[in-house]
């Protein structure tokens, strides 16, 4: 069974970097696409970016140069780094797998809530 | 970015009632390869989102067949034929045709 698990700090100070890890079991990240999505207070969802089976990346332009997604295939993990965070980055962050059709996210982690506050 | 407009924002239903959620796109979601990358998710309270339907109308494995999707171009609909208690939560449409992927604002289904 495919399982994803996010981990990382739940509190980040403004202007610092947010770093999260997604650990995947039951499936290799060298197949498919793997993404980060966040849900803001309320219901708004935002696709942040993904890393492909080959290691190529694609990011939401709204995050400009603040975002980086990398991976460690030996540990079957991929990572999110978001720089220069503000209170507007407070959200629940999810990692997910794209099941073969663009945008169709078929496996999700449980999510990690990150608060940006001093 | 493509804007997906979901209506209604909130839906009150009784058990057994059939309901529909609309998702309208600011651009056609028909890709040049012939696929329409419009999908539906459900997020139950306290849970992660779950894929219900992909490519407009294909039911994800394990999803009850009371869920169905339809539509084309810019207008799409999710129908639940006989709401059950486990269907409560927030429904999202999401598109993958145009980068970046975008989500609708969500429709909250609650019990009347």
């Amino acid at each position: 069974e495919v399982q994803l698990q996010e981990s990382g700090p739940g509190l980040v100070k403004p202007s610092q970097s947010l770093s999260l890890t997604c650990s995947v079991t039951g499936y290799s990240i060298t197949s498919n696409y793997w993404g980060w999505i966040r849900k803001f207070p309320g219901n708004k969802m935002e696709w942040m970016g993904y890393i492909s089976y080959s290691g190529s990346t694609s990011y939401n332009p709204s995050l400009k140069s603040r975002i980086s997604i990398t991976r460690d295939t030996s540990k079957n993990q991929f990572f999110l780094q978001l720089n220069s965070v503000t209170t507007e980055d407070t959200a629940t962050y999810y990692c997910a797998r794209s099941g073969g059709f663009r945008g169709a996210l078929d496996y999700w982690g449980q999510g990690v809530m990150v608060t940006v506050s001093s | 970015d493509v804007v997906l407009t979901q209506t209604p924002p909130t839906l009150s239903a009784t058990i057994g009632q059939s309901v529909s959620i609309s998702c309208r796109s600011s651009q056609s979601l028909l890709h040049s390869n012939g696929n329409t990358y419009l999908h539906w998710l459900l997020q139950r309270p306290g849970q992660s989102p779950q894929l219900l339907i992909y490519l407009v109308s294909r039911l994800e494995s394990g999803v009850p067949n009371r869920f169905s999707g339809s539509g084309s171009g810019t207008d799409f609909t999710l129908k639940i034929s006989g709401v059950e208690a486990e269907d409560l939560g927030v429904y999202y449409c999401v598109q993958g045709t145009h980068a970046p992927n975008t989500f609708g604002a969500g429709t909250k289904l609650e019990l009347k």
Side-chain angles (χ1 to χ4, degrees), chain A residues 37 39 43 45-47 60-61 94 101-106 108-110, chain B residues 31 37 39 41 43 48-49 51 54-55 60 92 96-97 100-101 103 105:
Chain A
I37 302 93
K39 182 176 180 179
N43 285 337
M45 299 270 277
E46 180 180 63
W47 175 80
N60 192 321
Y94 296 94
F101 297 103
R102 299 157 56 127
L105 300 164
D106 60 353
W108 293 68
Q110 86 287 351
Chain B
H31 194 275
Y37 297 98
H39 323 295
L41 305 170
Q43 186 168 29
S48 302
L51 182 65
Y54 63 97
L55 295 177
E60 175 69 354
Y92 296 93
T97 299
N101 295 357
F103 294 82

Side-chain angles (χ1 to χ4, degrees), chain B residues 69-87:
Chain B
S70 62
S72 64
T74 61
D75 288 348
F76 303 92
T77 301
L78 173 71
K79 183 177 181 179
I80 310 172
S81 299
V83 168
E84 298 193 4
E86 66 180 18
D87 301 337

Side-chain angles (χ1 to χ4, degrees), chain A residues 101 104, chain B residues 38-40 51-60:
Chain A
F101 297 103
Chain B
L38 187 284
H39 323 295
W40 291 93
L51 182 65
L52 296 176
I53 288 175
Y54 63 97
L55 295 177
V56 180
S57 60
R58 299 188 189 184
L59 207 60
E60 175 69 354

